[in-house]
Amino acid sequence: MATTTVYDWIIVSVYDRYDKNDDNTFVGKVLYGFVLDDQTCRFAQHDYVTTSRIEKCDLKRGIVETHSGSVYVLQGAGIDATIDFRDFELLRMGYSPTQIAQLNSAASNGIIH
């Protein structure tokens, strides 16, 4: 089975905080990280990757399987993060959850118009 190995990885929980009921609706989890090795030939080394929804996650073995059927091997330690669904496209464009939080903070403080 061809895999992609990632480092500096983050398991990102996505919530829709702006739904009709004003609830925090859980949308799903995705993997964000940087490519160390890619046997699928889809990514270059050190590129970022944001996966489709995580279907299976075995942190003890360091393996993540996604909705699209891709398998990712987790290298080193990772972290968990949370973002709003409205910011998901920023994640897909390569912004990390930390960078997204900084952008949101700057926007709410009037720094970004």
Side-chain angles (χ1 to χ4, degrees), residues 5-25:
T5 303
V6 295
Y7 65 96
D8 290 345
W9 53 271
I10 304 170
I11 302 291
V12 183
S13 297
V14 182
Y15 286 89
D16 187 355
R17 292 181 181 14
Y18 300 98
D19 68 0
K20 298 173 194 155
N21 300 321
D22 202 28
D23 293 332
N24 292 335
T25 304

Side-chain angles (χ1 to χ4, degrees), residues 58-80:
D58 184 343
L59 292 178
K60 288 184 181 187
R61 291 180 37 210
I63 297 174
V64 168
E65 295 180 34
T66 66
H67 180 73
S68 65
S70 297
V71 177
Y72 294 85
V73 176
L74 307 176
Q75 181 74 31
I79 61 172
D80 293 320

